[in-house]
Amino acid sequence: LKGGRFGLALSDGMGTGPQAALESGTTVSLLRRLLESGFGQDVAIKTVNSVLILRSPGESFATVDLTVVDLNTGQADLVKIGAAPTFIIRGGKAAQVRAGSLPAGIIEDIEVVSLRRALEPGDVLVMVTDGILDAYHGPGDREEWLAEVLLQIGNVPPQEMAELILKLAQTAAGGPSRVPDDM
């Protein structure tokens, strides 16, 4: 993005399958275009929210998980609209960043709250949809399960990490055919 910033976005359309994929794809695509055009995070997310409301009132919902990192300072602004926690792995610990709000496309006056975190060299930022967490049915807390997994695989290259997280979540759900939600 302009000004030495880098954006990472993840969206999860409500439900599963093609319609949910369309909602999340539209959300990320529109968000990307707005941010690349120079709009601020708040305006971009509010615009996406308005578009989702206008498309199919009462039917178009999507989470928005956005992290914008200033590549010069390491400051990260995380915006979570109905999104699952983000994990930051640093020094053998996995911190969670969470914020409670409804997904985009539900209410007109959406409040955009940005959570600022300072990233350091070597930090690993992991954003997931709730489908990853909902797949776990073992003992203990779902977020703690994923945090433990992340600590064990924290040094794996990003693409391999993503594939491994997906496979472990599918296994936790009882296999790929038993996955309850999009991941």
Side-chain angles (χ1 to χ4, degrees):
L1 302 173
K2 294 176 181 176
R5 298 176 308 136
F6 187 81
L8 303 118
L10 179 65
S11 178
D12 184 12
M14 294 299 110
T16 60
Q19 184 61 35
L22 177 66
E23 296 302 330
S24 57
T26 299
T27 298
V28 169
S29 177
L30 182 56
L31 189 58
R32 178 182 182 171
R33 282 186 257 153
L34 291 166
L35 291 170
E36 286 177 342
S37 296
F39 287 93
Q41 296 152 199
D42 291 7
V43 172
I45 290 173
K46 287 181 179 192
T47 301
V48 167
N49 183 62
S50 295
V51 168
L52 289 175
I53 287 174
L54 291 173
R55 283 184 66 191
S56 302
E59 298 176 15
S60 293
F61 312 127
T63 65
V64 177
D65 199 352
L66 174 67
T67 300
V68 176
V69 179
D70 182 318
L71 298 174
N72 297 310
T73 66
Q75 291 295 315
D77 291 320
L78 295 91
V79 179
K80 308 188 75 51
I81 308 294
T86 292
F87 296 82
I88 300 174
I89 304 168
R90 174 188 300 155
K93 296 183 180 178
Q96 296 180 36
V97 180
R98 21 169 108 243
S101 69
L102 294 172
I106 295 178
I107 58 173
E108 286 185 34
D109 292 327
I110 194 167
E111 182 179 351
V112 179
V113 177
S114 182
L115 306 167
R116 182 163 278 189
R117 298 292 185 269
L119 297 180
E120 297 177 6
D123 284 356
V124 178
L125 183 91
V126 180
M127 299 161 62
V128 298
T129 65
D130 64 343
I132 294 290
L133 296 171
D134 290 346
Y136 179 70
H137 299 289
D141 184 72
R142 299 177 304 185
E143 287 86 1
E144 290 302 319
W145 163 74
L146 184 54
E148 286 299 318
V149 165
L150 295 174
L151 290 175
Q152 292 174 19
I153 64 172
N155 293 327
V156 173
Q159 184 61 46
E160 290 178 40
M161 181 184 282
E163 291 169 4
L164 189 53
I165 291 168
L166 181 60
K167 285 180 184 173
L168 289 171
Q170 289 172 338
T171 300
S177 64
R178 302 202 53 186
V179 169
D181 195 3
D182 296 328
M183 298 180 179

